Amino acid sequence: MTHWKRGRADHIRRKISKVVQAEETDCWLCGRPIDLNLAWPHPFSFSVDHIAPVIIRPDLEYARANCRGSHLRCNQKRGDGRRHRPNRRPVQSFTIQGRP
């Protein structure tokens, strides 16, 4: 919830965050328990992670079904899906006994 902007919909975000905290006690990314006593910006504090990133699906930002509990560190490491992923090296072909 820390990256969300404050504004008219802030109460909706806080409500979703409280529901997720109450229902999910383990990080959905690493599977370890989340210590709710840790405050932001501790790396293992609670964070709401969107399954479908908000930058890609802004219509699902307030959908509870799209939100999961996670550690702040796990959420930041996952990112929003727009990171550049290096291309895999092409498989080199080779010939066996003169055949491709």
Side-chain angles (χ1 to χ4, degrees):
M1 185 171 108
T2 58
H3 67 282
W4 288 336
K5 297 177 187 173
R6 298 203 177 266
R8 289 178 24 181
D10 191 44
H11 67 283
I12 297 172
R13 294 182 189 115
R14 281 182 281 166
K15 185 177 179 181
I16 291 171
S17 179
K18 287 180 184 181
V19 170
V20 174
Q21 276 184 352
E23 293 177 356
E24 301 181 19
T25 58
D26 295 335
C27 176
W28 82 284
L29 296 169
C30 72
R32 296 184 188 131
I34 302 170
D35 185 357
L36 300 178
N37 296 321
L38 298 174
W40 183 89
H42 192 282
F44 293 105
S45 63
F46 177 82
S47 175
V48 173
D49 186 25
H50 291 86
I51 298 169
V54 175
I55 196 78
I56 296 170
R57 293 291 308 268
D59 56 317
L60 297 178
E61 180 176 7
Y62 305 114
R64 168 60 183 100
N66 190 42
C67 297
R68 295 288 180 262
S70 68
H71 295 114
L72 179 62
R73 176 179 160 196
C74 297
N75 191 353
Q76 290 172 337
K77 186 176 178 183
R78 180 173 180 252
D80 62 4
R82 297 184 304 166
R83 276 190 274 185
H84 174 1
R85 296 189 177 128
N87 294 333
R88 292 171 47 180
R89 293 174 52 185
V91 177
Q92 295 179 353
S93 61
F94 56 93
T95 58
I96 299 176
Q97 297 177 359
R99 294 185 220 170

